[in-house]
Amino acid sequence: MSRRELQIRPADTPSEELTKILERDGCVVLKDFASKAEIEAIQSDLRPFIDTSSQARSDFSGLKTTRTGALMARSPRCRELAIDPRILSLVETFLAPYANTFQLHVTQVIRVLPGEKVQMPHRDRWAWSQLQDPSDLDPPVNSVIAPLLTGVETQLNTMLALTDFTKENGATRIVPGSSHLPDSAKLPEEAYVSAEMTTGSMLVFTGSVFHGAGANMSERERIGLNIDYSLGWLRQEDNQYLSCPPEIAKDLDPKLQALLGYAVAEPSLGYFTPPLPAGEDLSSPQRALQQPSTPVRLDADGRPEFVE
Ligand SMILES: O=C(O)CCC(=O)C(=O)O
């Protein structure tokens, strides 16, 4: 396929116009989405959590990458960002053919450290297609499930640049126009565009477009704030976490705990982050059963604190 440019638009571009770009390219950059002051405020909410997040430990998640979760519990500024009208309007317009309610799918800071290698190219909708491990297996995903999602946009993703994103420091690599290729597509290096953007700009991309984090060949960290929205119906009918919360589920048979949802559906569905203490990111749900956490509440500034 020939290389297509990554489109850049002002952050207040109407969602109908952005939706047309997303349908064609699967991605677009919203320039200067957040001001310098807003980025500094987000950084001040998140820095203690980012600094204590340990490095991921898989080829896919990265060996020199940290991932920091629970952003809605931890950061008043991230809560505002998640319901920013510009994004909610775009989510509702772009995903309208597939659902009439939406939910947060991922809230995560992805920090790519110096020396990190390039991430395996993937589609985020493969979260529901049992992405295979090792990642060079062919096909890369379950060949029964993955085709069922062809033609369904499962989600819309945002990556707000908390630092500049450059080709050198690991800006997301993306292939505009790749949404309709088969899952087994082998994309030539020339098809990838580095989503270079200045701090405060935002990459918006679909669950169908091929992408991955770039290698960080610089001396500095690259930090992106990733908030993804998915179709409201991609969940259990009976909300088992409320109907059978951890305090009760912890004493049940492990097979039943897993059926309730206290287990990860491979490769990644269902992990969680205890909001406190800092540094316990992306845990398996069984952890909520093994170590009942100390109750947490929000203080007057909206930040989580332990209840004495
Ligand atoms: O950090 C990035 O640039 C992209 C990360 C990504 O695509 C992922 O981890 O699924």
Side-chain angles (χ1 to χ4, degrees):
M1 67 179 286
S2 58
R3 181 192 169 98
R4 192 175 279 179
E5 294 305 313
L6 175 57
Q7 299 296 306
I8 301 173
R9 291 290 183 278
D12 60 357
T13 303
S15 46
E16 290 73 18
E17 191 179 328
L18 295 174
T19 289
K20 285 199 185 103
I21 300 174
L22 288 169
E23 284 170 353
R24 187 192 62 202
D25 292 354
C27 49
V28 64
V29 168
L30 302 182
K31 191 161 172 44
D32 300 331
F33 185 91
S35 66
K36 194 163 178 283
E38 285 165 332
I39 295 295
E40 277 168 12
I42 291 174
Q43 287 262 20
S44 105
D45 276 358
L46 294 178
R47 204 70 234 193
F49 298 104
I50 296 173
D51 286 343
T52 50
S53 297
S54 47
Q55 295 181 15
R57 279 184 297 274
S58 74
D59 272 352
F60 185 83
S61 297
L63 300 170
K64 290 192 173 161
T65 295
T66 64
R67 293 170 183 265
T68 306
L71 304 188
M72 295 306 113
R74 290 169 162 180
S75 162
R77 270 58 173 241
C78 287
R79 289 175 210 143
E80 287 167 18
L81 183 65
I83 55 170
D84 186 294
R86 293 167 294 179
I87 291 301
L88 285 190
S89 155
L90 184 53
V91 167
E92 283 165 15
T93 308
F94 177 71
L95 293 177
Y98 314 100
N100 48 21
T101 57
F102 311 98
Q103 60 189 334
L104 285 175
H105 176 52
V106 173
T107 71
Q108 190 175 104
V109 171
I110 305 180
R111 175 173 59 156
V112 179
L113 297 167
E116 179 60 285
K117 296 202 188 80
V118 71
Q119 186 186 32
M120 169 202 169
H122 60 279
R123 300 182 139 137
D124 279 352
R125 71 170 195 230
W126 286 351
W128 293 279
S129 300
Q130 295 174 5
L131 179 65
Q132 310 215 53
D133 194 27
S135 54
D136 56 0
L137 280 185
D138 197 16
V141 285
N142 180 301
S143 56
V144 175
I145 306 170
L148 300 177
L149 290 178
T150 305
V152 177
E153 291 292 357
T154 52
Q155 67 208 90
L156 193 63
N157 308 327
T158 65
M159 179 75 81
L160 178 65
L162 299 189
T163 61
D164 287 348
F165 271 41
T166 65
K167 187 169 184 183
E168 200 196 5
N169 77 4
T172 311
R173 285 158 31 100
I174 200 152
V175 185
S178 60
S179 308
H180 305 292
L181 297 175
D183 284 310
S184 56
K186 297 274 177 282
L187 293 160
E189 190 51 36
E190 315 80 74
Y192 288 88
V193 178
S194 290
E196 295 198 292
M197 47 186 180
T198 48
T199 306
S201 291
M202 177 187 274
L203 172 67
V204 180
F205 59 107
T206 70
S208 301
V209 72
F210 280 90
H211 71 284
N216 189 344
M217 297 163 293
S218 77
E219 305 285 303
R220 301 202 168 176
E221 52 192 27
R222 184 230 77 177
I223 309 181
L225 196 163
N226 177 213
I227 299 184
D228 299 346
Y229 304 79
S230 64
L231 306 179
W233 48 264
L234 284 166
R235 57 188 308 194
Q236 291 161 315
E237 178 165 326
D238 178 353
N239 189 328
Q240 302 292 343
Y241 309 102
L242 295 178
S243 301
C244 188
E247 305 84 85
I248 298 174
K250 70 178 172 25
D251 296 321
L252 304 181
D253 187 305
K255 288 199 280 297
L256 184 54
Q257 292 172 342
L259 287 175
L260 287 165
Y262 294 99
V264 167
E266 294 295 338
S268 61
L269 294 171
Y271 63 77
F272 84 115
T273 295
L276 289 176
E280 302 205 358
D281 293 85
L282 278 54
S283 302
S284 99
Q286 284 95 338
R287 183 186 187 122
L289 307 178
Q290 287 152 6
Q291 294 178 355
S293 61
T294 316
V296 173
R297 70 173 168 220
L298 296 185
D299 68 12
D301 296 325
R303 294 166 194 268
E305 64 177 7
F306 285 123
V307 178
E308 296 303 320

